[in-house]
Amino acid sequence: MTRFGYTLMTEQSGPKELVRYAVSAENVGFDFEVSSDHYFPWLSSQGHAPYAWSMLGAVAHATERVELMTYVTCPTIRYHPAIVAQKAATLQILADGRFTLGLGSGENLNEHVVGKGWPTVARRHDMLREAIQIIRELMTGEMVDWKGEYFEVDSARLWDVPEIPVAIAAAVSGDRSIEEFAPLADHLIAVQPEKSLVDSWHDTRRATGLPGDVRVIGQIPICWDPDRDAAVARAHDQFRWFAGGWAVNSDLPTTAGFDGATQFVRHEDVAESIPCGPDLDAIVESVQKYWEAGFTDIAMVQVGGESQELFLEEAAGPLLDKLRSASQ
């Protein structure tokens, strides 16, 4: 059965609000919740970027049932992988085994802040591969010494290791990243509903003797509002960065860069790519592309921090009913 999730979008809400929304999303019936892990919002109009890990710790204690996940954390530049391992282990304990560590190669927008530059995509993939290996080693609870091409770990050990191991999901976008990360990660993260990507991931795992049928976790922006024009305007104001595509989105360093790169994106362009307005059936139609491509878990991003409470109170429950009925 397809599972449906709610996105705790740190770029558009403050930390206390996110915890409140997490509780409401659990109460209304979402199966899981994913959190972005940003230092910057995509656009200045979004206006937020709290520390995801502090917020998720609070969410772990405020909720009881929903699974939690980073979507995604970059464990290579802004964070050292040894620190990510410690954070993930601690959060898994606080969440009583409900946490999945979603990892990716990152975006310049968030990683440039520590002044270490922005590597090429090939190098970022190599760094991520090494980081996952280090995190796996540390999750054993044993003493780890590591001297690799990109990272060093000097006599490190996690003293609080969760009884339920932390599953790792890796974000991929093409054949090379699948080849590198399918054997290392437990689950797949992708933002485009491409069946070929999903099939390739499963095939690559089976070829290495690993279980092929694992979770495939996607995400889709929606902008529900009783007024369609208001929804389109809000989506354009806060989510037009989405139009750039990942090759652009991963390299721009500032919100001003995203503002400039998307200055010619029109309201109608956004409305064509993001379901906007009160029509729940239109949202279901957009989400359907993901389960048809083989995605097992689909997280929705409700665009606009100020729209969350109304969405959760009025639309989320009926939308989940429609999604579950359509996906059976």
Side-chain angles (χ1 to χ4, degrees), residues 165-273:
V166 178
I168 293 177
V172 303
S173 58
D175 291 339
R176 178 178 176 181
S177 53
I178 288 174
E179 182 179 344
E180 290 196 51
F181 301 122
L184 292 177
D186 301 299
H187 308 299
L188 165 64
I189 292 172
V191 294
Q192 296 295 331
E194 297 179 8
K195 188 176 187 303
S196 60
L197 199 71
V198 177
D199 291 344
S200 179
W201 176 274
H202 292 326
D203 291 343
T204 301
R205 287 181 59 84
R206 292 190 188 101
T208 60
L210 294 170
D213 296 325
V214 296
R215 292 170 64 189
V216 180
I217 307 151
Q219 187 183 58
I220 180 173
I222 65 174
C223 195
W224 177 87
D225 194 279
D227 184 329
R228 184 177 186 277
D229 290 340
V232 171
R234 186 170 70 242
H236 181 268
D237 177 56
Q238 297 197 21
F239 236 79
R240 66 183 183 276
W241 61 270
F242 202 75
W246 219 249
V248 174
N249 293 347
S250 63
D251 282 337
L252 293 177
T254 64
T255 54
F258 277 94
D259 189 57
T262 58
Q263 62 181 311
F264 299 115
V265 176
R266 304 168 300 171
H267 283 66
E268 52 265 39
D269 298 327
V270 173
E272 287 178 3
S273 61

